[in-house]
Amino acid sequence: MRLRLFPTTFDTQLVSRWRVSVNGEAVHPNLTDGCAVPEGVWSGDGPTEMLEIVAEGDVERSDDAGVVRGLKERTPTELFLRPTDLTTTNEAIRGLAEGARRPDRLDTLHTLAAAVRDAVDYRPETTDMATSAAEALAQKAGVCQDHAHVFCAAARHLGLPARYVAGYYLPGEDAGLSQTHGWAEGYAEGLGWVGFDVANRTCPTRDHVRVAIGLDASRAALISGAVAAPATGSSEERMTASVAISSQQQQ
Amino acid sequence: MLSRTAANLYWMSRYVERADATARLLTMGARMTMLPGAAARGDWQSVLQAAAAGMPEGDVIGRREAIRHLLLDGEGGSIRACLIRARANGRAERTALTSQMWEALNDDWRHLDTVTEAEASQHLPAYIDWAHRRAATFRGATETTMLRDDRYDFVRLGGQLERAAMTLRLLEVKYLALLPERDVIGGARDLYQWTALLLAASALRAYHHVYRGDYAPWNVADLLVLNREFPRSAAFCIERVRGALGRLEDRYGQRHACHDQVEALNARLAGVTMEQVFADGLHEFVTATLSEVLSLHATIGEAYDF
Amino acid sequence: MFDEMTVGGQVRPPYAPVAAWLDETGLPLLDLRAKEAEALFRRVGITFAVYGEGGDPERLIPFDLVPRVIGAAEWAQLAAGIEQRARALNAFLYDVYHRREILRAGRVPSRLVTSNPAFLPEMIGFDPPGRVYSHVVGIDLVRTAEDHFAVLEDNCRTPSGVSYMLENREIMMRLFPDLFAEGRVRPVDGYPNDLRRTLEEVAPPACRQDPEVAVLTPGPFNSAYYEHSYLADLMGAALVEARDLFVRDGRVWRRTTRGPRVVDVIYRRIDDDFLDPLVFRPDSMLGVPGLMNAYLSGGVTICSAPGAGVADDKAIYTYVPEMIDFYLGEKPILANVPTWKCSDPDDLAHVLAHLPELVVKEVDGSGGYGMLVGPRATKQEVDAYRKRVEADPEGFIAQPTLDLSTAPTLVGGEIEGRHVDLRPYCLVGKEIRLTPGGLTRVALRKGSLVVNSSQGGGVKDTWVLSEDAR
């Protein structure tokens, strides 16, 4: 199992304590990729009924208007112009993108984020992990992953590097429980990578914890695993996830 | 040796044995249906059960259906399917086989592809002979050309385990078929059944040689389960499995759970008489032994990681 | 048209022994020997499968008895050029996954690399052992004149065919021992040992003893399975499929009947996409879960390195002379074939205007599939291809139809000239090792320029002479 559940520290995100375990066994990252995302692996012995993956720790976020600075990345930004299966453009996406084109790049990205959200209604369970940007736009509905995919596909069409971010989000003061969250980052020359939480019509705030990034959601997956099927009988997989975040005011 | 290689060799040999045993079951079925009372007994049903060939529930099984399921089908437990699988396993490990072994699997392997049920029914003995010859040629090639290294041990393991399982399954099924009512034991009807059973195990001559006199259920059972000289008896096969596992233990310097298990099973089969078995219930004994053999198959797989 | 054996009615010096042998032996005996050779090949089991053609899945590749000969001085020049190219390609790969100097300098368009599907983001910043990415570089060469060889394409991933190079020689030595009696033909049988040493030299940091090498094959149904098992046997390495391997504690293990055994170096003959389902193809059950993590954290070496394919793309090919200049500061010893890039509007216009004269290829194609040989195509074929190029110019390059050299070949009981190419195999570890010669492929159909085995090509034994006759 490949785990990319390790948020990293950058200028406006300080990770002071973080621990990941699988069935109580600690997993430490053993490498960091070219986008500064750490990963670790865990493998099990023999048949397993259930895996419990726990990631917990303290992260201190400060306001940055979504601008991510201070990451030690080695990946060229232009890599994020590359389309993937989930972010292939079609006429509709290109049309959406062209409508958002502005003289200023940052302006373009903001306009695009709003346009994507207007075009794709937030409706849970209308799409799944394998829904592409084009499909989500065609049915005018989706979830945060689909918003981010449409945003990435359109931005790339305009020649602006864009990527998918997987992380955590604390939706409100009292909300204790949510799913993991996905948003996008676009690259604005001179400013750097800027986050756009398209689904929530905002740039990432102090309530967003940035964990992993990739060309699309499948490549930014926090957890990916393979199950060896037993020689006889069948195997089934089911995954449930819950995220509990509590916010602490700084003293 | 890669575990995958071991698994392929093991299964290759199992499938050859299964094809051979299935051919004998066909002979048994063909003979029983020629005997009085065949229609009421549902002989082909029990034959298919013994072959573990899988059959459609509730279907009427006649000679044609049996020939299809046991001889001609491209899938399931038919002779053709077994030989195709044996060849596929062998093909994956061609470098581990001698050329004679490979030829024994490869020559004429499409022989049954175009045979119709009508043709097969008309010339059934010839097709059964053909299947026996394929198995015999393969065994002969293995015995005379294969290096006695760990590969050979896995070939032996698969073959002997399959033989033990097939004999026990035959006994399990026929025993049930024999005892619909307690009171007919020893009656005339049993005679046909027990003869057919011996026929299915190629044990008719051996029976006379060992026990002389009349057919008796406990003697038939003794020959098929406990006899240490008859090469299809469960005890004989388990003794050979024990030998092969023992050689692997010596070679690798590693002892696994399957070693203890085969010792225990071997001791159990050696330490019991047919009187005791019948006193405790033959069916229970056969069922327990069969499930022990199947479990041994699993622990061997665990030990050698396949 | 240049013939390798005869120029202006005169036999060229390197071919003198072969010409004499052909005269002495006579055609009927040669024909008989050809049949013996075929029987030998079949017995050994060297077969290959042809995709999408049905029929016998275990087919023989046709073997031609008449050797192709390269003189000592000719080879010295070729060898220097091949090694130079192998060095430059590896330097390029290291660069594009690190500082990207050649892209920043504008010598190679950055887009060609970064948007190339063979360029793997996972490899950015990673240092493979010895900084080697392509451990077996296969360079396809053609000859157009006595003094002119040109590179048709580079193969940086897993070039196949080396087993034919070895077996062709074995069969020739067996059938015609007298031919080799003079001892002037340089042997090729050191290749498996050289390959093993090359692989051992790039053992991963985690390897503490003698490196354990394994050959990773897709399995018996792959067309090159014979080659995989043959090389594994000759190297004394394990032949494994992905399901034989697993990752534990940062290292790779193979399942054996004696328990898990560590694997240090994997000579893989499967594509990048099927290495690790956790990274490349989540939908695929193929591959070894966790393999990339083990590789990137120094627990195992994968040869060739994932992502090495970005250097043998046909669009990148046109820039290899730039690489040689940029990284080595040398002049290219081997020329490229002039190439038009359909991504360039001017080039595209030229290509579309001259389609019937050109050879057009897909930039990521291989095996001779999906190409247009203009002069041999019908008008309908040309028109259909034109539509494909217009729809996706970036996907195509074009080259002039080359006047490939011919070599004497036994066809239908006669000796006739047939077009040939040459694929040498260059090994790159701590040092560079090059087996003299390589695989000569021959287009058996008269006039045909397509030498791929999948398209009716055959093979020849390839001789490099140890010294030239004076």
Side-chain angles (χ1 to χ4, degrees), chain B residues 12-30 44 46-53 66 69-71 77-80 82-83 127-136 139 158-171 174 196-203 230-233 237:
Chain B
M12 168 184 74
S13 157
R14 279 198 80 149
Y15 279 124
V16 170
E17 287 300 333
R18 190 172 298 177
D20 197 32
T22 304
R24 263 192 301 275
L25 285 171
L26 257 177
T27 307
M28 172 180 91
W44 284 118
S46 59
V47 166
L48 257 70
Q49 252 177 304
H69 281 294
L70 296 181
L71 181 66
S78 77
I79 291 170
R80 176 166 164 236
C82 286
L83 291 176
Y127 288 109
I128 288 173
D129 281 350
W130 175 83
H132 288 313
R133 268 203 312 279
R134 310 265 11 106
R139 276 189 221 110
Q160 297 294 341
L161 218 56
E162 180 67 25
R163 267 191 212 178
M166 283 306 267
T167 300
L168 288 165
R169 202 176 280 125
L170 174 68
L171 209 53
K174 285 320 288 178
L197 197 53
L198 289 172
L199 202 65
S202 293
F230 177 60
R232 321 201 73 81
S233 84
C237 296

Coordinates of all heavy atoms in Angstrom, one line a residue, chain B residues 12-30 44 46-53 66 69-71 77-80 82-83 127-136 139 158-171 174 196-203 230-233 237:
Chain B
M12 N 0.5 -29.6 -13.1 CA 0.7 -30.4 -14.4 C 0.4 -31.8 -14.1 O -0.4 -32.5 -14.7 CB 2.1 -30.1 -14.9 CG 2.5 -31.1 -16.0 SD 4.2 -30.8 -16.5 CE 5.1 -31.5 -15.1
S13 N 1.1 -32.3 -13.1 CA 1.0 -33.7 -12.7 C -0.3 -34.1 -12.2 O -0.9 -35.2 -12.4 CB 2.2 -34.0 -11.8 OG 2.0 -35.1 -11.0
R14 N -0.9 -33.2 -11.4 CA -2.3 -33.4 -10.9 C -3.3 -33.6 -12.0 O -4.1 -34.5 -12.0 CB -2.7 -32.3 -10.0 CG -2.2 -32.3 -8.6 CD -3.0 -31.4 -7.7 NE -4.3 -32.1 -7.3 CZ -4.9 -31.9 -6.1 NH1 -4.4 -31.0 -5.2 NH2 -6.0 -32.5 -5.8
Y15 N -3.2 -32.7 -13.0 CA -4.1 -32.8 -14.1 C -4.0 -34.1 -14.9 O -5.0 -34.6 -15.4 CB -4.0 -31.5 -14.9 CG -4.8 -30.4 -14.3 CD1 -4.1 -29.2 -14.1 CD2 -6.1 -30.5 -14.0 CE1 -4.8 -28.1 -13.5 CE2 -6.8 -29.4 -13.4 CZ -6.1 -28.2 -13.2 OH -6.8 -27.2 -12.6
V16 N -2.8 -34.5 -15.1 CA -2.6 -35.8 -15.8 C -3.2 -36.9 -15.1 O -4.0 -37.7 -15.6 CB -1.1 -36.0 -16.1 CG1 -0.9 -37.5 -16.6 CG2 -0.5 -35.0 -17.0
E17 N -3.0 -37.0 -13.8 CA -3.6 -38.0 -13.0 C -5.1 -37.9 -13.0 O -5.8 -38.9 -13.0 CB -3.1 -37.9 -11.5 CG -1.7 -38.4 -11.3 CD -1.5 -39.9 -11.7 OE1 -2.4 -40.7 -11.7 OE2 -0.3 -40.2 -12.1
R18 N -5.6 -36.7 -12.9 CA -7.1 -36.5 -12.9 C -7.7 -37.0 -14.2 O -8.7 -37.7 -14.2 CB -7.5 -35.1 -12.7 CG -8.9 -34.9 -12.4 CD -9.3 -33.5 -11.9 NE -8.6 -33.1 -10.7 CZ -8.7 -31.9 -10.1 NH1 -9.4 -31.0 -10.7 NH2 -8.1 -31.6 -9.0
A19 N -7.0 -36.7 -15.3 CA -7.5 -37.2 -16.6 C -7.6 -38.7 -16.6 O -8.5 -39.3 -17.1 CB -6.6 -36.7 -17.8
D20 N -6.5 -39.3 -16.1 CA -6.4 -40.8 -16.1 C -7.6 -41.3 -15.2 O -8.3 -42.3 -15.6 CB -5.1 -41.1 -15.5 CG -4.7 -42.6 -15.8 OD1 -5.1 -43.1 -16.8 OD2 -4.0 -43.2 -14.9
A21 N -7.8 -40.8 -14.0 CA -8.8 -41.3 -13.1 C -10.2 -41.1 -13.7 O -11.1 -41.9 -13.6 CB -8.7 -40.6 -11.8
T22 N -10.4 -39.9 -14.4 CA -11.7 -39.7 -15.0 C -12.0 -40.7 -16.1 O -13.1 -41.1 -16.3 CB -11.7 -38.2 -15.6 OG1 -11.3 -37.3 -14.5 CG2 -13.0 -37.9 -16.1
A23 N -10.9 -41.1 -16.8 CA -11.1 -42.1 -17.9 C -11.6 -43.4 -17.2 O -12.5 -44.1 -17.7 CB -9.8 -42.3 -18.6
R24 N -11.1 -43.7 -16.1 CA -11.5 -45.0 -15.4 C -12.9 -44.8 -14.9 O -13.7 -45.8 -14.9 CB -10.6 -45.2 -14.2 CG -9.5 -46.3 -14.6 CD -8.8 -46.7 -13.3 NE -8.1 -45.6 -12.7 CZ -7.0 -45.1 -13.0 NH1 -6.3 -45.7 -14.0 NH2 -6.5 -44.1 -12.4
L25 N -13.3 -43.6 -14.4 CA -14.7 -43.4 -14.0 C -15.7 -43.6 -15.1 O -16.7 -44.2 -15.0 CB -14.8 -42.0 -13.4 CG -14.2 -41.8 -12.0 CD1 -14.3 -40.4 -11.6 CD2 -15.0 -42.7 -11.0
L26 N -15.2 -43.2 -16.3 CA -16.1 -43.3 -17.5 C -16.3 -44.8 -17.8 O -17.4 -45.3 -18.1 CB -15.4 -42.7 -18.7 CG -16.0 -41.3 -19.2 CD1 -15.1 -40.8 -20.3 CD2 -17.4 -41.5 -19.6
T27 N -15.2 -45.6 -17.7 CA -15.4 -47.0 -17.9 C -16.3 -47.6 -16.9 O -17.2 -48.4 -17.2 CB -14.0 -47.7 -17.6 OG1 -13.0 -47.0 -18.5 CG2 -14.0 -49.2 -18.0
M28 N -16.2 -47.2 -15.6 CA -17.1 -47.7 -14.6 C -18.5 -47.3 -14.9 O -19.4 -48.2 -14.8 CB -16.7 -47.1 -13.2 CG -17.7 -47.4 -12.1 SD -17.2 -46.7 -10.5 CE -18.1 -45.2 -10.6
G29 N -18.8 -46.1 -15.2 CA -20.1 -45.7 -15.5 C -20.7 -46.4 -16.7 O -21.9 -46.9 -16.6
A30 N -19.9 -46.6 -17.8 CA -20.4 -47.3 -18.9 C -20.8 -48.7 -18.6 O -21.8 -49.2 -19.1 CB -19.4 -47.2 -20.0
W44 N -24.9 -42.4 -13.6 CA -24.0 -41.4 -14.1 C -23.9 -40.2 -13.2 O -22.9 -39.6 -13.1 CB -24.6 -40.9 -15.5 CG -24.3 -41.9 -16.6 CD1 -25.2 -42.5 -17.4 CD2 -23.0 -42.2 -17.1 NE1 -24.5 -43.3 -18.3 CE2 -23.2 -43.2 -18.2 CE3 -21.7 -41.9 -16.7 CZ2 -22.1 -43.7 -18.9 CZ3 -20.6 -42.5 -17.4 CH2 -20.8 -43.4 -18.5
S46 N -23.8 -40.3 -10.0 CA -22.7 -40.6 -9.0 C -21.3 -40.6 -9.6 O -20.4 -40.2 -9.0 CB -23.0 -41.9 -8.3 OG -23.0 -43.0 -9.2
V47 N -21.3 -41.0 -10.8 CA -20.0 -40.9 -11.5 C -19.5 -39.5 -11.6 O -18.3 -39.2 -11.3 CB -20.0 -41.6 -12.9 CG1 -18.8 -41.3 -13.7 CG2 -20.2 -43.1 -12.7
L48 N -20.4 -38.6 -12.0 CA -20.0 -37.2 -12.2 C -19.6 -36.6 -10.8 O -18.7 -35.8 -10.7 CB -21.1 -36.4 -12.8 CG -20.8 -36.1 -14.3 CD1 -20.9 -37.3 -15.1 CD2 -21.8 -35.0 -14.8
Q49 N -20.3 -37.1 -9.8 CA -20.0 -36.6 -8.5 C -18.6 -37.0 -8.1 O -17.8 -36.2 -7.6 CB -21.0 -37.2 -7.4 CG -21.9 -36.2 -6.9 CD -22.9 -36.9 -6.0 OE1 -23.5 -37.9 -6.4 NE2 -22.9 -36.5 -4.7
A50 N -18.3 -38.2 -8.4 CA -16.9 -38.8 -8.0 C -15.8 -38.1 -8.8 O -14.7 -37.9 -8.3 CB -16.9 -40.3 -8.3
A51 N -16.2 -37.6 -10.0 CA -15.2 -37.0 -10.8 C -15.0 -35.5 -10.4 O -14.1 -34.9 -10.9 CB -15.6 -37.0 -12.3
A52 N -15.8 -35.0 -9.5 CA -15.8 -33.6 -9.1 C -15.8 -32.8 -10.3 O -15.1 -31.8 -10.4 CB -14.6 -33.3 -8.2
A53 N -16.5 -33.2 -11.4 CA -16.5 -32.5 -12.6 C -17.5 -31.3 -12.7 O -17.5 -30.6 -13.6 CB -16.8 -33.4 -13.8
A66 N -22.9 -37.5 -19.9 CA -21.7 -37.9 -19.2 C -20.4 -37.8 -20.1 O -19.4 -37.4 -19.6 CB -21.8 -39.4 -18.7
H69 N -19.5 -34.2 -20.3 CA -18.9 -33.6 -19.1 C -17.5 -34.3 -18.8 O -16.7 -33.6 -18.2 CB -19.8 -33.8 -17.9 CG -20.9 -32.8 -17.9 ND1 -20.7 -31.5 -17.7 CD2 -22.3 -32.9 -18.0 CE1 -21.8 -30.8 -17.7 NE2 -22.8 -31.7 -17.9
L70 N -17.4 -35.5 -19.0 CA -16.2 -36.2 -18.6 C -15.2 -36.4 -19.6 O -14.0 -36.6 -19.3 CB -16.6 -37.6 -18.0 CG -17.5 -37.6 -16.8 CD1 -17.8 -39.0 -16.3 CD2 -16.9 -36.8 -15.7
L71 N -15.6 -36.2 -20.9 CA -14.6 -36.5 -21.9 C -14.3 -35.2 -22.8 O -13.2 -34.9 -23.0 CB -15.0 -37.6 -22.8 CG -14.1 -38.0 -24.0 CD1 -12.8 -38.6 -23.4 CD2 -14.7 -39.1 -24.9
G77 N -14.1 -30.5 -15.6 CA -13.3 -31.6 -15.2 C -13.1 -32.7 -16.2 O -12.8 -33.8 -15.9
S78 N -13.4 -32.3 -17.5 CA -13.4 -33.4 -18.5 C -11.9 -33.8 -18.8 O -11.0 -33.1 -18.4 CB -14.0 -32.9 -19.8 OG -13.1 -32.0 -20.5
I79 N -11.8 -35.0 -19.4 CA -10.4 -35.4 -19.7 C -9.7 -34.4 -20.6 O -8.6 -34.1 -20.5 CB -10.5 -36.8 -20.4 CG1 -11.0 -37.8 -19.4 CG2 -9.2 -37.2 -21.1 CD1 -11.4 -39.2 -20.0
R80 N -10.5 -33.9 -21.6 CA -9.9 -33.0 -22.5 C -9.4 -31.7 -21.8 O -8.3 -31.2 -22.0 CB -10.9 -32.6 -23.6 CG -10.5 -31.5 -24.5 CD -11.3 -31.4 -25.8 NE -11.1 -30.2 -26.4 CZ -12.0 -29.2 -26.7 NH1 -13.3 -29.5 -26.4 NH2 -11.7 -28.1 -27.3
C82 N -8.7 -31.4 -18.6 CA -7.5 -31.7 -17.8 C -6.2 -31.8 -18.6 O -5.2 -31.2 -18.1 CB -7.7 -33.1 -17.1 SG -8.9 -33.0 -15.8
L83 N -6.3 -32.4 -19.7 CA -5.1 -32.5 -20.5 C -4.6 -31.2 -21.1 O -3.4 -30.9 -21.2 CB -5.3 -33.5 -21.6 CG -5.4 -35.0 -21.1 CD1 -5.7 -35.9 -22.3 CD2 -4.1 -35.4 -20.4
Y127 N -11.4 -44.1 -27.0 CA -11.0 -42.8 -26.5 C -10.5 -42.9 -25.1 O -9.6 -42.2 -24.6 CB -12.2 -41.8 -26.6 CG -12.5 -41.4 -28.0 CD1 -13.6 -41.8 -28.7 CD2 -11.5 -40.5 -28.6 CE1 -13.8 -41.4 -30.0 CE2 -11.8 -40.2 -30.0 CZ -12.9 -40.6 -30.6 OH -13.1 -40.2 -31.9
I128 N -11.1 -43.8 -24.3 CA -10.6 -44.1 -23.0 C -9.2 -44.6 -23.0 O -8.3 -44.2 -22.2 CB -11.6 -45.0 -22.2 CG1 -12.9 -44.2 -21.9 CG2 -11.0 -45.5 -20.9 CD1 -14.0 -45.1 -21.3
D129 N -9.0 -45.6 -23.9 CA -7.6 -46.1 -24.0 C -6.6 -45.0 -24.4 O -5.5 -44.9 -23.9 CB -7.6 -47.1 -25.1 CG -8.1 -48.5 -24.6 OD1 -8.3 -48.6 -23.4 OD2 -8.3 -49.4 -25.5
W130 N -7.1 -44.1 -25.3 CA -6.2 -43.0 -25.7 C -5.8 -42.2 -24.5 O -4.6 -41.8 -24.3 CB -6.9 -42.1 -26.7 CG -6.2 -40.9 -27.1 CD1 -5.2 -40.8 -28.1 CD2 -6.3 -39.6 -26.6 NE1 -4.7 -39.5 -28.1 CE2 -5.4 -38.8 -27.2 CE3 -7.1 -39.0 -25.6 CZ2 -5.2 -37.4 -26.9 CZ3 -7.0 -37.7 -25.3 CH2 -6.1 -36.9 -26.0
A131 N -6.8 -41.9 -23.6 CA -6.5 -41.0 -22.4 C -5.5 -41.8 -21.5 O -4.6 -41.2 -21.0 CB -7.8 -40.7 -21.7
H132 N -5.7 -43.1 -21.3 CA -4.8 -43.8 -20.4 C -3.4 -43.8 -21.0 O -2.4 -43.7 -20.3 CB -5.3 -45.3 -20.3 CG -6.5 -45.4 -19.4 ND1 -6.6 -44.8 -18.2 CD2 -7.6 -46.1 -19.6 CE1 -7.8 -45.1 -17.7 NE2 -8.4 -45.9 -18.5
R133 N -3.3 -43.9 -22.3 CA -2.0 -43.9 -23.0 C -1.3 -42.6 -22.8 O -0.1 -42.5 -22.5 CB -2.1 -44.2 -24.5 CG -2.0 -45.7 -24.8 CD -1.6 -45.9 -26.3 NE -2.3 -45.1 -27.2 CZ -3.5 -45.4 -27.7 NH1 -4.1 -46.5 -27.3 NH2 -4.2 -44.6 -28.5
R134 N -2.0 -41.4 -22.9 CA -1.4 -40.1 -22.7 C -0.8 -40.1 -21.3 O 0.3 -39.6 -21.1 CB -2.5 -39.0 -22.8 CG -3.3 -39.0 -24.0 CD -2.8 -38.1 -25.2 NE -1.5 -37.6 -25.1 CZ -0.5 -38.1 -25.8 NH1 -0.6 -39.1 -26.6 NH2 0.7 -37.5 -25.7
A135 N -1.6 -40.5 -20.3 CA -1.1 -40.4 -18.9 C 0.1 -41.4 -18.7 O 1.1 -41.0 -18.1 CB -2.2 -40.8 -18.0
A136 N 0.0 -42.6 -19.3 CA 1.1 -43.5 -19.1 C 2.4 -43.0 -19.8 O 3.5 -43.2 -19.2 CB 0.7 -44.9 -19.7
R139 N 3.8 -40.3 -17.5 CA 4.5 -40.9 -16.3 C 5.8 -41.6 -16.7 O 6.8 -41.4 -16.0 CB 3.5 -41.9 -15.7 CG 2.5 -41.3 -14.8 CD 1.8 -42.4 -14.0 NE 0.4 -42.1 -13.9 CZ -0.5 -42.8 -14.6 NH1 -0.2 -43.8 -15.4 NH2 -1.8 -42.4 -14.4
G158 N 2.2 -33.7 -6.6 CA 0.9 -33.4 -7.3 C 0.2 -34.7 -7.7 O -1.0 -34.9 -7.4
G159 N 1.0 -35.6 -8.3 CA 0.4 -36.8 -8.8 C -0.2 -37.7 -7.7 O -1.3 -38.2 -7.8
Q160 N 0.6 -37.9 -6.7 CA 0.2 -38.8 -5.6 C -1.0 -38.2 -4.8 O -1.9 -38.9 -4.4 CB 1.4 -39.1 -4.7 CG 2.5 -39.8 -5.3 CD 2.1 -41.2 -5.8 OE1 1.1 -41.8 -5.3 NE2 2.9 -41.8 -6.7
L161 N -0.9 -36.9 -4.6 CA -2.0 -36.3 -3.9 C -3.4 -36.4 -4.6 O -4.4 -36.7 -4.1 CB -1.7 -34.8 -3.6 CG -2.1 -34.3 -2.3 CD1 -1.5 -35.1 -1.1 CD2 -1.7 -32.8 -2.1
E162 N -3.2 -36.2 -5.9 CA -4.4 -36.3 -6.8 C -5.0 -37.7 -6.8 O -6.2 -38.0 -6.7 CB -4.1 -35.9 -8.2 CG -5.2 -36.0 -9.2 CD -6.3 -35.0 -8.9 OE1 -6.0 -33.9 -8.3 OE2 -7.5 -35.2 -9.3
R163 N -4.1 -38.7 -6.9 CA -4.5 -40.1 -6.8 C -5.3 -40.4 -5.5 O -6.3 -41.0 -5.5 CB -3.3 -41.0 -6.9 CG -3.0 -41.5 -8.3 CD -2.0 -42.6 -8.2 NE -1.1 -42.5 -9.4 CZ -0.1 -43.3 -9.6 NH1 0.2 -44.2 -8.7 NH2 0.6 -43.2 -10.6
A164 N -4.7 -40.0 -4.4 CA -5.3 -40.3 -3.1 C -6.7 -39.6 -3.1 O -7.7 -40.2 -2.7 CB -4.4 -39.7 -2.0
A165 N -6.8 -38.4 -3.6 CA -8.0 -37.7 -3.5 C -9.1 -38.3 -4.4 O -10.3 -38.5 -4.0 CB -7.9 -36.2 -3.9
M166 N -8.7 -38.8 -5.6 CA -9.6 -39.4 -6.5 C -10.2 -40.7 -5.9 O -11.4 -41.0 -6.0 CB -9.0 -39.6 -7.9 CG -8.9 -38.4 -8.7 SD -10.4 -37.4 -9.0 CE -11.0 -38.1 -10.6
T167 N -9.3 -41.5 -5.4 CA -9.8 -42.8 -4.8 C -10.7 -42.5 -3.6 O -11.8 -43.2 -3.5 CB -8.6 -43.6 -4.3 OG1 -7.7 -43.8 -5.4 CG2 -9.0 -44.9 -3.7
L168 N -10.4 -41.6 -2.8 CA -11.3 -41.3 -1.6 C -12.6 -40.8 -2.1 O -13.7 -41.1 -1.5 CB -10.6 -40.3 -0.7 CG -9.4 -40.9 0.1 CD1 -8.5 -39.9 0.7 CD2 -9.9 -41.9 1.2
R169 N -12.6 -39.9 -3.1 CA -13.8 -39.3 -3.6 C -14.7 -40.4 -4.2 O -15.9 -40.4 -3.9 CB -13.5 -38.2 -4.6 CG -14.6 -37.2 -4.7 CD -14.2 -36.1 -5.7 NE -13.4 -35.1 -5.1 CZ -12.2 -34.7 -5.6 NH1 -11.7 -35.3 -6.7 NH2 -11.5 -33.8 -5.0
L170 N -14.1 -41.3 -4.9 CA -14.9 -42.4 -5.5 C -15.6 -43.2 -4.4 O -16.7 -43.5 -4.5 CB -13.9 -43.3 -6.3 CG -14.4 -44.6 -6.9 CD1 -15.4 -44.3 -8.0 CD2 -13.2 -45.4 -7.4
L171 N -14.8 -43.5 -3.4 CA -15.4 -44.3 -2.3 C -16.5 -43.5 -1.5 O -17.5 -44.1 -1.2 CB -14.2 -44.6 -1.3 CG -14.3 -45.9 -0.5 CD1 -14.5 -47.1 -1.4 CD2 -13.0 -46.1 0.3
K174 N -19.6 -43.5 -4.0 CA -20.2 -44.8 -4.2 C -20.7 -45.4 -2.8 O -21.7 -46.1 -2.8 CB -19.2 -45.8 -4.8 CG -18.9 -45.6 -6.2 CD -20.1 -45.3 -7.0 CE -21.1 -46.5 -7.2 NZ -22.3 -46.0 -8.0
A196 N -17.8 -52.7 -9.9 CA -17.6 -51.5 -10.7 C -16.6 -50.6 -10.0 O -15.8 -49.9 -10.6 CB -19.0 -50.7 -10.9
L197 N -16.7 -50.5 -8.7 CA -15.8 -49.7 -7.9 C -14.4 -50.1 -8.1 O -13.5 -49.3 -8.4 CB -16.2 -49.8 -6.4 CG -15.7 -48.8 -5.5 CD1 -16.1 -47.4 -5.9 CD2 -16.4 -49.0 -4.1
L198 N -14.2 -51.4 -8.1 CA -12.8 -52.0 -8.3 C -12.3 -51.7 -9.7 O -11.2 -51.3 -9.9 CB -12.8 -53.5 -8.0 CG -13.0 -53.8 -6.5 CD1 -13.1 -55.3 -6.3 CD2 -11.8 -53.4 -5.7
L199 N -13.3 -51.8 -10.6 CA -12.9 -51.5 -12.0 C -12.5 -50.0 -12.1 O -11.5 -49.7 -12.8 CB -14.2 -51.7 -12.8 CG -14.0 -51.9 -14.3 CD1 -13.3 -53.3 -14.5 CD2 -15.4 -52.0 -15.0
A200 N -13.2 -49.1 -11.5 CA -12.8 -47.7 -11.5 C -11.5 -47.4 -11.0 O -10.8 -46.4 -11.3 CB -13.9 -46.9 -10.8
A201 N -11.0 -48.3 -10.1 CA -9.7 -48.1 -9.5 C -8.7 -49.0 -10.1 O -7.5 -49.1 -9.6 CB -9.7 -48.3 -8.0
S202 N -9.0 -49.6 -11.2 CA -8.2 -50.6 -11.9 C -7.7 -51.6 -10.9 O -6.5 -51.9 -10.8 CB -6.9 -49.9 -12.6 OG -7.4 -49.1 -13.6
A203 N -8.6 -52.1 -10.1 CA -8.2 -52.9 -8.9 C -8.8 -54.3 -8.9 O -8.6 -55.1 -8.0 CB -8.6 -52.2 -7.6
F230 N -1.1 -51.6 -2.9 CA -1.9 -51.3 -4.1 C -1.6 -49.8 -4.4 O -1.9 -48.9 -3.6 CB -3.4 -51.5 -3.8 CG -4.2 -51.1 -4.9 CD1 -4.1 -51.6 -6.2 CD2 -5.2 -50.1 -4.7 CE1 -4.9 -51.2 -7.2 CE2 -6.0 -49.7 -5.8 CZ -5.9 -50.3 -7.1
P231 N -1.2 -49.5 -5.6 CA -0.7 -48.1 -5.9 C -1.7 -47.0 -6.1 O -1.4 -45.9 -6.3 CB 0.1 -48.3 -7.2 CG -0.4 -49.5 -7.9 CD -0.9 -50.4 -6.8
R232 N -3.0 -47.4 -5.9 CA -4.0 -46.3 -5.9 C -4.7 -46.2 -4.6 O -5.6 -45.4 -4.4 CB -5.1 -46.5 -7.0 CG -4.6 -47.1 -8.3 CD -5.6 -46.8 -9.4 NE -5.5 -45.4 -9.7 CZ -4.6 -44.8 -10.5 NH1 -3.7 -45.6 -11.1 NH2 -4.6 -43.6 -10.8
S233 N -4.2 -47.0 -3.6 CA -4.8 -46.8 -2.3 C -4.4 -45.5 -1.6 O -3.3 -45.0 -1.9 CB -4.4 -48.0 -1.4 OG -3.2 -47.8 -0.8
C237 N -0.5 -43.8 -1.5 CA -0.3 -42.5 -2.1 C 0.3 -41.5 -1.0 O 1.2 -40.8 -1.3 CB -1.5 -41.9 -2.7 SG -2.1 -42.9 -4.1

